[in-house]
Amino acid sequence: MADIVLDYGLLHELSGSLRTLRGQIQTDVDHVSGRAVVSSTGEVGADAVGDSTLFAALSAFYATCHQPFKDSMTKLDDLADLLDSVAKAFFDQDADFASKANSARLQSKIDQWQAQENAWQHYQDTKNKVITYQYYDENGVLQTATIPLWGEGRPPPTDPGARPTSVSVPDGTTTSSSQQVDGNGKIISETSTVTAPNGLSYTETTTYSYTDLDNDGKPDNVDYTTTVTHSDGTREVITKKTGTDHVSVMTSTTDDGTTTTTVTPGQNGAYNSVTVDPKGETTTTSVTVGSDGTGTKIVANPDGSMDFYNGDPAKDRWTLTSHVDPLPDLYGYPPVF
């Protein structure tokens, strides 16, 4: 099967063109009401046409076309909205992947910049320093001389400039990122924005909190709150909070409501999770892990069916081994005597 390629940028531009077209013909459609005959300057009477028979025919034409023209305006709106919603849905999905991939690229770029910045700062601190040494000249007299740390044989490093904040890909899409760190170098907040050449934009802002339960100086739990602003302007807030018992609760809140997932860890990476969606429907996932690292996963779906998997829990790769349909609703049938 051939791969499907969807140019969501082109869909977004086409949606804008349809809305532009609608605006351009809106005035004409508004004037075409009833039996009115219009010109480029507005509604006109029979005297402007000059022939009463022709004016009557034009009036009949406009009267007949009035409703289809109005319907076409609605269809233009509907088509523009459909194309734009598809474009933004695919862009948001790509932007989410790009945000994570480009954040890693940007971090590598920042690490490289930091090494260059350290070398530059070292140069600034030592550029005027010299090494002092003593020697005896040909007459046996003790002399003192100096050698500069930086000279012709040791050129200074290049000033790396400002810290990089964005990366771009060949299609012109740019991912910009900003971070704030605490005194220990841990990231406490970061914002990543993906902007496409056609104007679509997707933003993720995350704040982190760290908990050191055993006071060893290393965080045992990392919790966060992420706010996603989608290309259509809607927002999603995702939070993760972990208790002292290591049970974590994740929530995802959108305009449709809140989805809550509670994860209870087990041994060797095993866990049990319970997800409740905005409609109150529940999905339960149980993962067990053997001593060899292999695992099984059982998913109890809201409709009562169950899915069974085998796989690698560490990589979250699973293979469906069986599916069990829900039991029939016997209570929906009258008893048979």
Side-chain angles (χ1 to χ4, degrees), residues 241-323:
K241 296 182 179 180
T242 309
T244 55
D245 55 357
H246 300 291
V247 174
S248 63
V249 178
M250 295 185 63
T251 61
S252 173
T253 302
T254 66
D255 292 340
D256 296 328
T258 298
T259 299
T260 302
T261 300
T262 303
V263 180
T264 303
Q267 294 183 343
N268 301 323
Y271 65 87
N272 183 79
S273 73
V274 179
T275 299
V276 182
D277 67 15
K279 296 180 181 180
E281 296 183 335
T282 301
T283 301
T284 301
T285 302
S286 299
V287 172
T288 58
V289 183
S291 58
D292 59 352
T294 60
T296 60
K297 180 170 70 172
I298 302 173
V299 179
N301 300 301
D303 63 356
S305 64
M306 300 185 71
D307 295 310
F308 297 83
Y309 301 83
N310 288 332
D312 184 349
K315 297 180 179 179
D316 198 26
R317 294 178 178 174
W318 302 96
T319 300
L320 179 66
T321 57
S322 63
H323 171 82

Side-chain angles (χ1 to χ4, degrees), residues 95-271:
D96 180 45
F97 292 140
S99 177
K100 293 175 174 58
N102 287 341
S103 290
R105 290 179 57 212
L106 180 58
Q107 187 58 57
S108 176
K109 192 174 180 181
I110 291 172
D111 291 342
Q112 183 180 9
W113 171 87
Q114 188 62 63
Q116 295 173 343
E117 175 68 9
N118 292 340
W120 174 251
Q121 289 301 326
H122 174 69
Y123 167 71
Q124 295 298 314
D125 294 338
T126 60
K127 63 182 179 180
N128 295 321
K129 292 184 178 181
V130 297
I131 298 174
T132 302
Y133 66 97
Q134 292 182 319
Y135 68 97
Y136 290 96
D137 62 16
E138 66 276 9
N139 299 316
V141 177
L142 183 64
Q143 302 288 342
T144 300
T146 60
I147 299 176
L149 286 178
W150 301 92
E152 294 182 359
R154 189 184 182 191
T158 303
D159 183 356
R163 181 178 183 270
T165 59
S166 65
V167 291
S168 298
V169 294
D171 68 356
T173 300
T174 301
T175 301
S176 60
S177 178
S178 60
Q179 296 177 340
Q180 292 183 343
V181 298
D182 63 12
N184 297 320
K186 293 194 294 290
I187 298 174
I188 56 177
S189 71
E190 60 182 347
T191 297
S192 179
T193 300
V194 180
T195 305
N198 55 32
L200 292 176
S201 181
Y202 172 96
T203 301
E204 286 187 13
T205 299
T206 303
T207 57
Y208 298 92
S209 62
Y210 303 86
T211 305
D212 182 4
L213 298 176
D214 52 11
N215 296 316
D216 64 351
K218 300 179 181 178
D220 297 293
N221 295 324
V222 180
D223 293 329
Y224 57 83
T225 297
T226 298
T227 301
V228 179
T229 302
H230 295 279
S231 55
D232 62 358
T234 58
R235 299 172 72 233
E236 179 182 7
V237 179
I238 304 167
T239 64
K240 173 179 175 289
K241 296 182 179 180
T242 309
T244 55
D245 55 357
H246 300 291
V247 174
S248 63
V249 178
M250 295 185 63
T251 61
S252 173
T253 302
T254 66
D255 292 340
D256 296 328
T258 298
T259 299
T260 302
T261 300
T262 303
V263 180
T264 303
Q267 294 183 343
N268 301 323
Y271 65 87

